[in-house]
Amino acid sequence: MDVGTRRLVSTRKDASTRKRVKTGKDVSTVFSRAPLGLLAPLVRVEVHLGSGLPTFAMVGLPETVVRESKERVRSALLNTGFEFPSGRITVNLSPADLPKEGGRFDLPIAVGILAAIGKIPPDALEHREFYGELSLGGELRETPKLLPALIEGSRSTSEMILPFANALEASLVRHARVKLANHLRQVCDALNGRAVLSAVPSPADLADAANLAYPAECADLTDGSGPCGLAQKPPPDLAEVRGQFAAKRALEIAAGGEHGLLMIGPPGAGKTLLAQRLPGLLPPLAPHESLQVASVESAAGRRPSVGGRRPFRSPQHTASVAALTGGGSMRPGELSLATWGSCFSMNSPSSRATRWRRSANPSRAVWLPSRDSSAPASSRRDFNWWRR
């Protein structure tokens, strides 16, 4: 074999080697989204299976909950009947400068490992996003802070696969391609074409199912934070308050004109009683307003409430600035949770600030009768300030 022939054979070998490395089955990419307040940036979960000692490495600014997912994923794969790779596993959560939190990346990591070992075809991962926390047996558990990700995903053509426990959040987003699953095996069979995942039920069906499963809890539910999170009692009615005609008239004016309101009076005069009945004077939320309120509640880690009722928040007078305006981890505060609703602050911590608000805008002050008519209400230090 002459020199030219050897060069040609060597060139062909190098080209075939580069092609095999580029299209090898030991690398897979799965898409998901990270929680970041009301935003949900796209995250690429890249899984690489290499040779070497058995190691599970995870990079990309994962927090403690995300780093612990390797133990949940390993147990879930083994208990589901799959073989766990014995070599070196590297998981990269891209972009690398974005902090990753929560257990929502369990399902993407497990699907990425199955695709890397050839149990799932790579074409099945295109135009799909995965969310869900895995139990040790492979069941999919409810994932908090998921509604902002569903809203962002609905703006694309991707299909989102998430736990059935998050059906409430999925039903709030219209025109979203969402499929629900209860187990890792169901997801694997659906990606291989051997099964079909469930679609999102309507909110009415979810309410009926919740009432059948939790009849007592749903009957006593007042704020949508119970196990069903759907059925709600009607808001307190202003007609239940006897007397206080001036205060009720001020509430009606504040509700009709979207004004702030300052209540001043002794304890037991009825300030909290009147403030709790303000949401009953306000019109129900529009569909886009309900979605915004549900998004803020989901970003705060709460179960989103439905029904069109405007939120009513009543923080303690000892609440810090971070609790009112939100913390540094993009967690909404009490003022954000009162979006499109009302916030009632009891016992304003600064009497000087309260006197300044009262003197600066006297038309928004509500004077409530005192038990002792000889002592003016302004001489007492029990001030209440409510602002919509």
Side-chain angles (χ1 to χ4, degrees):
M1 182 181 296
D2 55 0
V3 178
T5 304
R6 288 197 299 269
R7 289 180 178 177
L8 180 60
V9 173
S10 177
T11 303
R12 290 179 178 177
K13 288 183 178 180
D14 294 342
S16 61
T17 303
R18 289 195 298 268
K19 186 176 181 180
R20 286 198 302 270
V21 172
K22 183 178 180 180
T23 60
K25 294 183 179 180
D26 54 351
V27 178
S28 63
T29 302
V30 185
F31 294 96
S32 185
R33 293 183 182 271
L36 189 65
L38 295 179
L39 303 178
L42 188 66
V43 174
R44 297 170 59 96
V45 182
E46 302 172 349
V47 179
H48 174 255
L49 303 182
S51 59
L53 296 176
T55 307
F56 199 134
M58 189 175 299
V59 295
L61 284 183
E63 293 190 355
T64 304
V65 178
V66 184
R67 289 196 300 267
E68 293 176 349
S69 64
K70 57 184 179 182
E71 304 298 336
R72 296 191 296 269
V73 171
R74 178 185 287 107
S75 299
L77 291 177
L78 293 176
N79 293 326
T80 309
F82 295 105
E83 181 182 357
F84 193 79
S86 58
R88 180 180 178 85
I89 304 175
T90 304
V91 177
N92 179 36
L93 305 177
S94 176
D97 58 345
L98 178 67
K100 317 300 188 305
E101 64 176 8
R104 65 177 60 193
F105 297 106
D106 292 358
L107 181 60
I109 293 174
V111 171
I113 293 177
L114 294 176
I117 62 179
K119 298 297 183 179
I120 296 177
D123 298 339
L125 304 180
E126 297 180 357
H127 305 292
R128 280 190 172 96
E129 299 177 8
F130 298 85
Y131 307 90
E133 178 183 346
L134 288 174
S135 67
L136 299 183
E139 294 83 6
L140 293 179
R141 294 178 174 174
E142 184 177 4
T143 303
K145 304 181 181 181
L146 194 58
L147 187 55
L150 298 181
I151 296 176
E152 292 290 340
S154 64
R155 298 171 182 171
S156 62
T157 59
S158 300
E159 181 183 77
M160 293 170 284
I161 298 178
L162 52 137
F164 198 91
N166 291 100
L168 175 62
E169 290 89 338
S171 64
L172 299 178
V173 184
R174 300 178 180 179
H175 310 294
R177 300 175 56 193
V178 178
K179 297 296 183 180
L180 305 176
N182 288 322
H183 201 275
L184 177 61
R185 172 62 70 176
Q186 296 179 1
V187 177
C188 183
D189 293 342
L191 296 178
N192 284 281
R194 296 191 297 265
V196 178
L197 297 179
S198 304
V200 180
S202 63
D205 296 338
L206 291 174
D208 295 339
N211 291 328
L212 291 176
Y214 305 96
E217 291 83 349
C218 293
D220 298 334
L221 187 62
T222 57
D223 58 352
S225 60
C228 60
L230 291 170
Q232 290 185 350
K233 287 185 177 180
D237 193 357
L238 189 62
E240 300 173 353
V241 181
R242 296 188 178 183
Q244 304 287 12
F245 300 105
K248 290 193 290 187
R249 176 60 177 166
L251 279 177
E252 295 172 354
I253 296 175
E258 298 184 355
H259 303 303
L261 191 63
L262 174 66
M263 296 183 179
I264 303 175
K271 301 179 293 296
T272 304
L273 183 72
L274 290 168
Q276 290 175 348
R277 280 148 178 77
L278 180 67
L281 301 177
L282 301 174
L285 293 171
H288 69 280
E289 296 174 348
S290 299
L291 187 58
Q292 292 179 10
V293 172
S295 299
V296 175
E297 293 177 345
S298 179
R302 297 164 52 90
R303 190 176 180 87
S305 59
V306 296
R309 181 190 299 184
R310 296 184 180 271
F312 177 80
R313 305 296 300 177
S314 180
Q316 291 288 336
H317 66 281
T318 57
S320 61
V321 177
L324 293 176
T325 61
S329 59
M330 303 293 289
R331 184 181 182 87
E334 292 292 336
L335 297 180
S336 299
L337 291 172
T339 300
W340 295 110
S342 54
C343 182
F344 174 67
S345 178
M346 192 172 184
N347 295 331
S348 180
S350 175
S351 59
R352 180 180 301 176
T354 307
R355 286 197 298 269
W356 177 83
R357 293 191 187 100
R358 185 180 58 188
S359 61
N361 202 341
S363 62
R364 297 185 181 180
V366 178
W367 297 87
L368 302 180
S370 173
R371 294 189 180 91
D372 186 4
S373 58
S374 60
S378 59
S379 64
R380 301 177 179 267
R381 291 187 174 271
D382 183 16
F383 298 106
N384 294 266
W385 174 54
W386 173 87
R387 176 172 293 276
R388 183 167 185 264

